[in-house]
Amino acid sequence: MTLAVRVIPCLDVDAGRVVKGVNFENLRDAGDPVELAHRYNKAGADELTFLDVTASSSERQTTYDVVTRTAEEVFIPLTVGGGVRAVEDVDRLLKVGADKASINTAAVARPEVINDIVARFGNQVLVLSLDARRSSDTPSGFEVTTHGGRRGTGIDALDWCREASERGVGEILLNSIDADGTKEGFDTEMISAVRAVTSVPLIASGGAGEPAHFPPAIAAGADAVLAASMFHFGPDDMIAQVKDAIRAAGYPVR
């Protein structure tokens, strides 16, 4: 049985406000996370992702008070990331209302943290957030970055997907830095390449600009599709429009 494709708005949060940029830079204000969460819950989003985009680069923890208030507004699964470094961080996020935790920079620095978190909470709570960009320095042509896309690592993105999957991550959130905020469509080549090396559920992120962009990402291997700016700045029925486009392409949606 084919699982229904999930449509997920993303709240990139900086200093308590939702922001959106292009290629992870030039961030502009997109509103209050609590208000947006309420709107998306009402509009039919299947899940919500909350990423504190400067927690790792600023070397601070996630803004737990904002997470708490956001969690109180939604009755759909909430994934929170940014500044997650250890089992204790995941424990705290779950206690303030998150359903899943997303990890990126800390897992690249110490991959064993994936095993630690999965051993404690099970793989269903852990999402690997992978910010990848095109690079001629890696065998696959895709490189892992950290600190909100600010630092290259020299690590091949496909090798990292394989390793993280073997260590037990429950999902992979694949963010294309090159496509981010461009509104020109998902990086289907990258999605296909990652899908070929892992069976872990894959969330495609980066580049969505219109409902027609979503079915190709699913065709490339995404189990869920995530977007930010087109939901933040688009009409209130944009989630419904996206679901209609996915349905029209022959894929089951919730």
Side-chain angles (χ1 to χ4, degrees), residues 170-225:
E171 287 183 288
I172 294 173
L173 169 54
L174 181 64
N175 309 301
S176 168
I177 291 178
D178 302 303
D180 175 71
T182 63
K183 302 183 185 176
E184 293 173 1
F186 290 93
D187 189 334
T188 53
E189 187 185 350
M190 183 189 288
I191 296 165
S192 297
V194 171
R195 172 45 73 222
V197 301
T198 179
S199 59
V200 168
L202 190 58
I203 306 165
S205 169
E210 59 185 77
H213 287 155
F214 289 80
I218 300 159
D223 301 283
V225 281

Side-chain angles (χ1 to χ4, degrees), residues 42-61:
K42 199 172 163 185
D46 298 309
E47 296 187 13
L48 194 63
T49 293
F50 177 114
L51 299 176
D52 190 325
V53 293
T54 54
S56 287
S57 56
S58 304
E59 296 187 349
R60 61 172 172 75
Q61 293 184 317

